[in-house]
């Protein structure tokens, strides 16, 4: 690195060396030097034909929460690291909800957060968060929801702190570096070129041997069922999971946030686990001798309705963290190699337990029975089934929280080769808009030169929170379609009012809004559609995914429709 380069330049070059191609953030006075460094970095590449490094794209979002979810979606889709940048004060605080989602879901995100100059800390600086002289302390704010948080006090400290922050984020979760403006502008005297920390993986071999023996015992006397979680996606272990399932002749289910980790066309697929799950998986657990959890802690959303069945059999687990259930757990922070080794063991001529059994037939999954709905608009199941028919292989799907998300988790058949994300760590409404955009930046260009489309599915409540982030998709001409199901309500809250509070009132119904017309007026160049029939919806979706650039689809639906969500459907006070 050149002698005398700024700290901001060092950071940008380090990010480039990590293989990251996009930064997501909102500019401001105390982070503007980083944007300046991105410009200089790209300008230097333009003038040096021999420099093979790729340029960086600094994406300016409309809100720091969305910028954080863009970095989160980018990391999930690439199985890598996302980077978000923000200025001080409210900009920094706006990161909290997005970073909390990354923390809860163990997504590696590096946050570079500007701060007022060190010489003004504790002296009434605008947006001071040093913790001095009555100012709030940003380190104390971010520490509980990060794997690493540090304030950079001097330029010389940065290389080591950046190294530690990247290593911590790669362990699963966000890391924060607080960067005072004068530190960003300071010159570094011939520091070493940033060397990314070596990827380290831990595996408990003794515990894995115990899991291996339990699998052999179970297969000798009965059936194995696998429930796979989102760590399979983070570790890019889909192929290894599929091979292990075939070798074990196992039935396979997926956690609600892991619909893309196992192809639903594969024999033995039993659908989604838990509160938005399928009866086939519960039946498979009842018939099994052992349930193997792979990369999931089985939180409430993944185990609701299955606790009794799981409690009656042996539960084994492989993953970075022990599940919430009592289990025989084997720690592994890199599932691809761990599952590959397990496959090699079971594929040995003396141990190929799955080769002789007949493969189970692929069946259509049974949808949960929901009460009839005769209100306005289209029904959740019909909308998602229409999506299933319209989305080509390779399409990525991001779903938001609420009744819409429950319906997508339950009814969506993932396109082959696509990615699926729903934020169940914090369940923050509006997450899917930013996350889908961040993922689209990473994955829109396929290896074969084609274009990959992303579809975001959210309700109108989520849209009103963070839907204006579609401006970023329009600005960058991303191949992404936003599908907003508009029931003029916070519908899951309405359902809870009806089921649990006697339907005596509602605080959650909105005045009717024509979201499609509003978006069309705001973005005249954006293809905006308002289909009213399933045929119109199907034709609209096919046009959207076949046409370059962004599009927006608004679909009216019924605020009183109960979604396929087991706690609602089994409650004794359910409406007729």
């Amino acid at each position: 690195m050149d002698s005398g380069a700024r700290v901001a330049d060092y950071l940008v070059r380090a990010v480039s060396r990590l293989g990251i191609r996009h930064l997501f953030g909102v500019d401001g006075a105390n982070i503007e030097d980083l944007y300046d460094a991105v410009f200089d970095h790209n300008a230097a590449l333009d003038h040096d034909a021999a420099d093979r490094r790729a340029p960086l794209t600094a994406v300016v979002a409309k809100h720091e929460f969305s910028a954080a979810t863009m970095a989160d979606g980018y990391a999930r889709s690439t199985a890598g690291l996302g980077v978000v940048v923000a200025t001080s004060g409210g900009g920094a605080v706006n990161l909290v909800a997005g970073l909390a989602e990354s923390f809860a879901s163990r997504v590696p995100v590096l946050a570079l957060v500007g701060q007022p100059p060190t010489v003004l800390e504790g002296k009434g600086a605008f947006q001071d968060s040093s913790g001095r002289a009555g100012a709030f302390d940003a380190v104390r704010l971010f520490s509980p929801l990060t794997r690493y948080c540090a304030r950079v006090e001097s330029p010389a400290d940065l290389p080591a702190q950046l190294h530690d922050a990247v290593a911590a984020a790669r362990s699963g979760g966000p890391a924060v570096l607080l960067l005072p403006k004068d530190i960003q502008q300071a010159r570094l005297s011939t520091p070493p070129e940033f060397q990314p920390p070596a990827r380290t993986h831990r595996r408990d071999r003794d515990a894995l041997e115990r899991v291996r023996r339990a699998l052999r015992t179970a297969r000798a006397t009965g059936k194995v069922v696998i429930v796979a979680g989102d760590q399979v996606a983070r570790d890019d272990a889909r192929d290894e999971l599929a091979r292990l399932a075939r070798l074990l002749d196992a039935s396979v289910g997926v956690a609600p946030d892991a619909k893309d980790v196992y192809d639903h066309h594969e024999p033995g697929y039993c659908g989604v686990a838990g509160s938005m799950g399928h009866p086939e998986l519960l039946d498979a657990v009842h018939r099994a001798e052992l349930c193997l959890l792979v990369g999931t802690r089985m939180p409430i959303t993944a185990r609701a309705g299955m606790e009794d069945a799981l409690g009656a059999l042996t539960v084994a687990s492989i993953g970075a963290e022990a599940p919430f259930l009592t289990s025989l757990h084997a720690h592994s922070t890199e599932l691809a190699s761990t599952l590959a080794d397990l496959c090699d063991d079971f594929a040995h001529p003396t141990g190929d337990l799955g080769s002789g059994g007949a493969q189970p037939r692929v069946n259509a999954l049974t949808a949960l029975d929901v009460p009839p709905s005769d209100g306005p608009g289209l029904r959740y199941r019909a909308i998602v089934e229409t999506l299933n028919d319209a989305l080509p292989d390779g399409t990525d799907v991001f779903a938001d929280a609420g009744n819409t998300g429950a319906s997508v988790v339950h009814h969506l058949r993932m396109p082959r080769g696509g990615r699926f994300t729903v934020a169940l760590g914090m369940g923050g409404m509006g997450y899917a808009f930013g996350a889908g955009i961040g993922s689209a930046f990473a994955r829109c260009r396929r290896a074969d030169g084609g274009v990959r489309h992303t579809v975001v599915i959210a309700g109108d409540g989520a849209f009103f929170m963070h839907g204006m982030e579609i401006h970023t998709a329009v600005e960058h001409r991303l191949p992404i379609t936003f599908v907003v199901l508009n029931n003029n309500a916070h519908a899951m809250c309405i359902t809870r009012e009806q089921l649990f509070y006697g339907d005596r009132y509602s605080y959650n119904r909105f005045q009717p809004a024509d979201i499609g017309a509003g978006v069309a007026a705001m973005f005249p160049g954006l293809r905006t559609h308002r289909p009213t029939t399933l045929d119109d919806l199907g034709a609209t979706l096919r046009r959207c995914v076949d046409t370059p650039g962004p599009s927006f689809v608004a679909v009216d639906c019924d605020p009183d429709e109960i979604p396929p969500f087991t706690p609602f459907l089994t409650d004794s006070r359910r409406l007729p």
Side-chain angles (χ1 to χ4, degrees), residues 265-289:
H265 297 93
E266 286 282 341
Y269 178 65
C270 294
V272 177
S275 55
M276 296 162 274
H278 295 93
E280 283 81 0
L281 181 57
L282 181 59
D283 291 344
V285 172
H286 278 299
R287 296 192 302 268
E289 290 289 325

Side-chain angles (χ1 to χ4, degrees), residues 10 34 54 101 110 113 199 248 282 323 329 430 454 500 566 575:
Y10 182 88
L34 197 69
E101 171 60 40
L110 174 64
V113 184
R199 293 182 179 272
L248 295 176
L282 181 59
H329 177 66
T454 299
F500 305 132
T566 303
L575 295 179

